[in-house]
Amino acid sequence: MKNTRQRAAILRVLDESAEPLSAEEVFTRLRETEPAMALSTVYRNLERFCSENLLARDDFGDGVVRYSPARRHGHYLICTGCDARVRIDDCPLSSLEEGLARETGFSIESHSLTIYGKCPRCAGKDK
Ligand SMILES: [Zn+2]
Ligand SMILES: [Zn+2]
């Protein structure tokens, strides 16, 4: 039962977060409600959720794996100045995928798209 509650707590943290979180960030946010949960437990559950397709891994190329609810497919704008992340809920690639699948015969499973730039704050600083 304890295991079930911990799993629910981990999923809730990611559901409530507007942006993807690393295992360490999930661990930090769980400290209030689940102070006994070890980082290794958080990590193990996150990986299990990925294999169950409840979570998706987000890789922004910085070597940190972040997780977000799988059903919330979307993309991100990332500020190269301050690392701010803005989620784009619309996926512009679904129609492209359909065309590619037709042209190439690929059965497409997933894609990634991340857009980098400067947020308004950082762009202002550069002047
Ligand atoms: Zn910025
Ligand atoms: Zn997409």
Side-chain angles (χ1 to χ4, degrees):
M1 285 315 286
K2 186 181 167 210
N3 197 22
T4 307
R5 201 193 67 217
Q6 290 185 338
R7 280 171 58 95
I10 291 171
L11 286 177
R12 192 168 55 239
V13 164
L14 284 156
D15 258 333
E16 287 170 358
S17 171
E19 44 184 50
L21 300 174
S22 68
E24 284 80 5
E25 287 166 335
V26 173
F27 174 66
T28 304
R29 290 181 190 208
L30 279 171
R31 256 190 223 147
E32 278 180 26
T33 53
E34 301 287 336
M37 212 189 301
L39 177 58
S40 58
T41 306
V42 173
Y43 186 76
R44 197 172 55 242
N45 276 293
L46 288 169
E47 285 300 312
R48 190 176 303 153
F49 288 139
C50 286
S51 65
E52 292 168 0
N53 291 319
L54 289 169
L55 295 181
R57 287 188 198 85
D58 292 303
D59 181 359
F60 298 121
D62 60 0
V64 180
V65 177
R66 294 178 179 82
Y67 302 87
S68 58
R71 66 179 179 283
R72 248 183 7 188
H73 178 81
H75 299 282
Y76 291 87
L77 290 163
I78 297 183
C79 175
T80 54
C82 68
D83 211 33
R85 291 179 162 74
V86 175
R87 199 185 146 75
I88 312 155
D89 278 316
D90 290 331
C91 176
L93 298 182
S94 43
S95 55
L96 177 70
E97 278 191 349
E98 280 172 32
L100 281 172
R102 257 198 319 273
E103 282 167 33
T104 65
F106 260 65
S107 117
I108 293 171
E109 293 168 348
S110 69
H111 61 250
S112 64
L113 168 70
T114 307
I115 297 168
Y116 298 91
K118 293 277 191 293
C119 72
R121 210 161 45 95
C122 291
K125 266 188 219 159
D126 286 346
K127 274 179 207 157

